[in-house]
Amino acid sequence: MLKDLKALGKESLIYGLSTVGARLLNFLLMPFYTHCLLPAEYGVVATVFSYIAFLNILYQYGMDQAYMRHYAHREKAFSTAYSCVLVTSLAFSLALALAPGFWAQLGGIGAQRGNLVLYAAAILFLDSINVLPFADLRMAHKPFYFAGVRMASITLNVALNIIFLTRLHMGIEGVFLANLISSLFSVAAVPKRFTFTFDPELFRKLVDYSLPLLPAGLGAMAVQVIDRPILLRLSGEAAVGIYQANYRLGIFMVLLVSMFDQAWRPFFLERADKPGGPAVFARVLTYFTLALVWIGMAFSFFIGDLARLHVAGRALIHESYWSGLSIVPVVMFAYLVNGIYVNLLAPIIIAKKTKVIMLATLSGALVNLAANFILIPLFGIYGPPWAAFAAYCVMALTVYYYGRRYFPVPYELRRLGAIAVLALALGAPALAGWGSGWQWTAYRFAALAAYPFALLAAGFFLPEEKQKALSFFARFRSAPGPRPA
């Protein structure tokens, strides 16, 4: 088990460093936008990119997952899947490009912004034809190449944003032009095994696997992005801008879940038929939750201080966006529940019961949709994070219920429950927005320090875990110091 966990940890670290690096570089754009764009302008940018994220699922329709599942026939599978995505993506983008004003009006950003639809159509096409080459790199265990391309693309995007907005004063259009150029670079940089071959029999297998993932993917993405268009219509562009800036402060939890997911899927697929696999999967969920709860509390406690931190004479986030800081802890723990959902997907995917994923994500999307329409009129920008939290809980419970039928995994529910109770007890003040002054600072540090010791006192850790910890600290203490001169 330890060897398998180390393998997952190694690839998670490599993928994670690329994900963290890329997302952090992208995160730098958010403070930059708060100083260069008005909240209403940033709201338009956030809304359009929400549509792009949602439509990406439609453009790709699960073909990357189907290819990974049929990797044993990788030469034919890649060419067949790539041909399909290439043709359909071109057709979708042409449909957008032929009536940009209509789509802009329908999307709530106004027909005068039809040029943004043209940018979106081009970005969607480029991103969709690159998803299979990226999946190929993951399955071929080439995380360094994967990481390099992603980092270079995001670095280029950040640099172009700075040039277009501060030097050329292009405004919103500069944001989309920078993304278009970086997507084009990414397509050129990733190798492809495309040979213009199409296998009809394999195509049917790919489609049989991928199409049930389409509604699931649309549902999952709806949970993540549908709040922006709803907020736009119910509260206006400025509200979306303030919400988006503070939502992006929850990036630290998003990063951790994303970096884990990059390595998790290949990890459990390769170990699905090995003895002891279910026990490994269960232990992964426990350790994942244990670590991310502490990290989530740490960032929730100090995110307000980070937002107000002055860099080069300016606050990290412009003060016109500070009114939304209270949503950040809820956003973080909503994404933590999403991470648990990602863990619980393993039995469903192994058993090839993709209809369960569709049920879970569509249920989550419906809960999110209903909750947003109920909560936004009552609480404004504070409603969507709780709607997302409720949606992810529904999704996680659904896949857990069906997963134990198809591929039983002995999840350590007692230990997971202990983590949840302790996290709620220690983190409640942050969720409630309480505290100020030195007493609040002292409490935050004390709560973070007490977390592992409270679990230890509650009998959370297993004997072998205690022994491993003692051995580690013994080696650390016995490590030779610097030799005297």
Side-chain angles (χ1 to χ4, degrees):
M1 181 184 291
L2 184 60
K3 181 179 178 182
D4 286 339
L5 292 175
K6 284 182 177 179
L8 175 62
K10 180 181 177 181
E11 290 204 4
S12 291
L13 180 62
I14 300 170
Y15 285 123
L17 288 176
S18 72
T19 302
V20 168
R23 290 289 184 94
L24 285 178
L25 282 171
N26 206 18
F27 172 75
L28 293 177
L29 289 174
M30 186 272 291
F32 174 72
Y33 289 153
T34 66
H35 288 281
C36 293
L37 300 174
L38 296 173
E41 293 175 319
Y42 192 25
V44 172
V45 171
T47 301
V48 175
F49 276 108
S50 296
Y51 288 130
I52 289 175
F54 184 80
L55 290 174
N56 259 324
I57 307 300
L58 182 63
Y59 270 64
Q60 297 162 17
Y61 50 92
M63 269 295 174
D64 56 331
Q65 302 301 324
Y67 168 65
M68 292 169 71
R69 188 59 182 166
H70 293 85
Y71 189 70
H73 310 284
R74 49 189 170 272
E75 294 294 339
K76 290 183 179 180
F78 185 92
S79 294
T80 302
Y82 193 86
S83 300
C84 297
V85 173
L86 181 66
V87 172
T88 54
S89 297
L90 182 59
F92 291 151
S93 286
L94 285 174
L96 291 174
L98 290 175
F102 168 78
W103 296 113
Q105 184 67 34
L106 185 64
I109 62 173
Q112 73 277 12
R113 294 195 175 106
N115 62 322
L116 302 185
V117 174
L118 296 177
Y119 281 113
I123 292 168
L124 283 162
F125 174 75
L126 293 172
D127 288 349
S128 63
I129 63 172
N130 214 29
V131 68
L132 282 162
F134 270 122
D136 192 49
L137 290 177
R138 288 171 61 189
M139 291 305 293
H141 298 286
K142 295 180 179 179
F144 288 107
Y145 198 100
F146 181 100
V149 173
R150 293 197 62 190
M151 287 292 293
S153 177
I154 296 297
T155 302
L156 177 62
N157 186 22
V158 172
L160 291 175
N161 265 278
I162 294 172
I163 293 171
F164 292 159
L165 269 66
T166 61
R167 299 292 180 88
L168 302 181
H169 305 289
M170 296 179 65
I172 292 176
E173 188 170 349
V175 176
F176 289 93
L177 180 59
N179 275 268
L180 175 61
I181 295 173
S182 63
S183 294
L184 186 61
F185 165 82
S186 184
V187 169
V190 180
K192 302 165 185 64
R193 59 169 86 238
F194 187 47
T195 58
F196 292 99
T197 57
F198 183 85
D199 187 318
E201 182 179 352
L202 187 54
F203 168 72
R204 285 192 293 271
K205 293 180 180 179
L206 291 169
V207 169
D208 286 344
Y209 185 88
S210 69
L211 285 187
L213 297 176
L214 178 57
L218 291 173
M221 187 54 64
V223 174
Q224 296 183 44
V225 302
I226 202 172
D227 49 5
R228 278 73 156 190
I230 297 174
L231 191 61
L232 177 71
R233 294 185 181 277
L234 296 181
S235 300
E237 295 174 353
V240 179
I242 293 171
Y243 173 74
Q244 176 71 4
N246 289 280
Y247 187 94
R248 290 296 297 274
L249 288 173
I251 191 173
F252 303 104
M253 189 62 70
V254 179
L255 289 175
L256 294 171
V257 173
S258 297
M259 65 185 278
F260 173 83
D261 189 34
Q262 293 291 335
W264 175 233
R265 199 173 298 260
F267 177 87
F268 70 71
L269 286 174
E270 291 173 354
R271 290 160 179 80
D273 300 323
K274 293 183 179 180
V280 174
F281 303 159
R283 189 62 52 83
V284 166
L285 177 60
T286 301
Y287 291 163
F288 174 89
T289 307
L290 176 68
L292 263 66
V293 162
W294 188 90
I295 294 169
M297 286 196 302
F299 281 112
S300 296
F301 284 156
F302 293 101
I303 199 67
D305 302 275
L306 177 63
R308 296 180 176 90
L309 179 68
H310 276 67
V311 180
R314 291 185 175 185
L316 181 65
I317 307 300
H318 193 275
E319 63 181 14
S320 60
Y321 292 82
W322 290 355
S323 59
L325 283 170
S326 298
I327 73 169
V328 179
V330 186
V331 171
M332 286 195 167
F333 281 92
Y335 269 104
L336 189 150
V337 178
N338 181 45
I340 293 173
Y341 164 76
V342 168
N343 271 270
L344 295 173
L345 281 176
I348 303 298
I349 294 174
I350 290 169
K352 299 183 181 180
K353 302 295 183 179
T354 51
K355 290 183 179 179
V356 174
I357 303 176
M358 178 177 65
L359 173 64
T361 52
L362 291 180
S363 299
L366 289 174
V367 168
N368 193 33
L369 183 67
N372 271 295
F373 276 110
I374 293 170
L375 297 177
I376 289 175
L378 296 174
F379 305 107
I381 65 170
Y382 300 96
W386 284 110
F389 182 85
Y392 286 132
C393 286
V394 168
M395 291 164 61
L397 289 172
T398 302
V399 295
Y400 170 74
Y401 174 79
Y402 286 99
R404 62 181 184 174
R405 291 184 176 184
Y406 302 128
F407 189 89
V409 174
Y411 293 114
E412 300 170 324
L413 300 182
R414 185 188 67 82
R415 298 217 289 169
L416 292 170
I419 295 171
V421 170
L422 182 60
L424 184 60
L426 295 176
L431 290 173
W434 297 342
S436 62
W438 69 266
Q439 297 94 336
W440 173 233
T441 301
Y443 173 81
R444 289 181 285 177
F445 283 110
L448 293 175
Y451 177 73
F453 295 104
L455 288 173
L456 181 64
F460 174 85
F461 295 103
L462 302 176
E464 60 265 28
E465 293 168 344
K466 295 178 183 178
Q467 186 61 43
K468 287 287 184 183
L470 290 173
S471 300
F472 172 79
F473 286 116
R475 289 197 303 270
F476 181 78
R477 292 179 61 184
S478 62
R483 295 182 179 180

